[in-house]
Amino acid sequence: MNIDKWGEFTLSSGEKADFFRLGDLRLWLKYKDEEIWIGHQYAGHADSKEALDSPPEDLEWARWAPKEPGNTIKLMPVFPDLPLVVNSEYPLRVNPGASIQIFTRIPVWLRISIGKNDTVLTELPSIKLSRTWFGTPIEGELCFWAITKARRSLSNVERKPHMVSCPIQITNKTEEDLNFDKFCFRVERLKLFVYNEELWSDETRIVYQGEEQYSDINMSGRLPKGMENAKLISPPRKPEHRSLATRTFKMIFDESFLFGK
């Protein structure tokens, strides 16, 4: 089944495995011998329609023996565990003092948990992303490459259950134009909401302070104005601070530079 609803699911018992699909992720779950069995593989692309209700013969299973045996699991979306480098749909120029609203869409990870305390068994990407390095050779951080582009509007973008829409406001506080075609998007402090049966994050506000300065970044904790009645379903990975100062528009190196691949 395609995962388009989030929450608790009751697994079949014995040899029968329940099949789930989210993006490229193909997931089989079963409850056997008082253990949770989890097996997964990835399709060639996200729109593959192959029928995989029965687990492949070469599927590798991981097994968990829970503290309190039971066949109920929870499937919830979470953001990736690294920042993402996002390309804009086209090079953007923000004049001094100007602000723009853009949107990007990020493939979620699937968190599998059990029990009253939501004990996490594992997290799996809905789409496997390549890695890159954001920064300089001596200062920076490991990131994922985003597979989608930042846009001024999402009106013509196909809605998919494994993608979360992220509103971003960028303000140029300098006296020079801000020119960029990619930026580092830090998602670890963002919340996940369901709005009109789609995944959304709270709004990120980036204030550009200059090429050699850190940008001020604030996670608003809520969706943009006009988007009421959203339901919070996943808290941030790092909920302790909603603001930070860090580099957002800088040089990029791919992982072959780092790892010699």
Side-chain angles (χ1 to χ4, degrees), residues 71-134:
N71 62 340
T72 299
I73 53 98
K74 181 180 286 187
L75 303 180
M76 298 299 290
V78 292
F79 273 105
D81 62 355
L82 291 176
L84 294 100
V85 175
V86 179
N87 286 284
S88 61
E89 188 175 17
Y90 46 81
L92 289 171
R93 175 172 293 180
V94 184
N95 293 144
S99 295
I100 63 170
Q101 178 85 61
I102 61 175
F103 301 87
T104 191
R105 304 181 74 221
I106 303 298
V108 298
W109 286 26
L110 180 65
R111 174 177 289 172
I112 305 173
S113 62
I114 58 172
K116 297 179 181 179
N117 296 324
D118 287 336
T119 301
V120 177
L121 301 184
T122 189
E123 294 179 353
L124 300 169
S126 62
I127 293 180
K128 297 174 72 174
L129 301 176
S130 60
R131 296 172 297 169
T132 190
W133 182 255
F134 182 83

Side-chain angles (χ1 to χ4, degrees), residues 79 100-102 104 166-171 183-191 201-207 216-224 242 244 248:
F79 273 105
I100 63 170
Q101 178 85 61
I102 61 175
T104 191
C166 305
I168 304 167
Q169 183 183 87
I170 299 176
T171 300
F183 61 96
C184 183
F185 186 37
R186 293 172 175 84
V187 298
E188 68 274 11
R189 291 175 172 83
L190 289 175
K191 300 176 181 179
S201 77
D202 49 324
E203 185 176 48
T204 299
R205 297 165 183 167
I206 302 173
V207 178
D216 294 328
I217 303 174
N218 176 266
M219 289 69 182
S220 69
R222 57 183 180 273
L223 298 183
R242 292 204 324 220
L244 69 154
T248 302

